[in-house]
Amino acid sequence: VQLQASGGGLVQAGDSLRLSCVASGLTFGSYAMGWIRRAPGKEDDLVAAISWSGGTTKYADSVKGRFTISREDAKNMVWLQMNSLKPEDTAVYHCAVSKVPYGSGWLQGPLNYKYGGQGTLVTVSS
């Protein structure tokens, strides 16, 4: 499985960014997808996830109402729309795929996902 995330950058507090991820090497429509962020000195945080059908989403409390995850299976892509960004959103954001197809494990934390690689850096200045 290969996951390529992009779209990060340096923005000011209150700005918006849209992250994109292209996945390959899997039957995309069978897997839940997520975005996991990694900040220095903090545990990895599953900020948003979307079910294999796209019908159910889950957000960390810290981003509810500000972030929106979406997917398009025809393109093997998932996006994260981030609005009203805050300095505490600064992190490397990784696109993630659930370790197993279907099921409910995707609702749990980062341990149920495959992710890594370069990710995309989001820096929010105050």
Side-chain angles (χ1 to χ4, degrees):
V1 176
Q2 290 190 328
L3 304 169
Q4 184 170 351
S6 62
L10 172 63
V11 297
Q12 294 185 331
D15 286 349
S16 298
L17 278 176
R18 188 187 193 208
L19 306 184
S20 300
C21 172
V22 179
S24 60
L26 76 166
T27 306
F28 187 77
S30 299
Y31 290 84
M33 300 294 296
W35 287 93
I36 292 170
R37 66 185 180 190
R38 176 175 290 169
K42 297 183 179 180
E43 292 186 358
D44 290 354
D45 186 17
L46 177 64
V47 296
I50 187 166
S51 65
W52 58 90
S53 69
T56 304
T57 56
K58 175 184 169 70
Y59 297 94
D61 288 343
S62 59
V63 308
K64 280 181 182 176
R66 299 188 297 122
F67 290 12
T68 303
I69 188 170
S70 60
R71 64 187 292 161
E72 183 170 343
D73 290 355
K75 296 182 178 180
N76 279 22
M77 292 191 70
V78 61
W79 296 270
L80 184 66
Q81 177 67 41
M82 305 186 296
N83 298 329
S84 303
L85 283 161
K86 304 176 180 180
E88 51 263 44
D89 294 319
T90 294
V92 176
Y93 284 71
H94 295 271
C95 180
V97 57
S98 57
K99 286 184 176 179
V100 296
Y102 308 114
S104 60
W106 67 277
L107 291 167
Q108 307 304 317
L111 290 178
N112 284 12
Y113 286 83
K114 298 178 184 177
Y115 63 104
Q118 193 168 0
T120 187
L121 176 62
V122 173
T123 305
V124 185
S125 63
S126 58

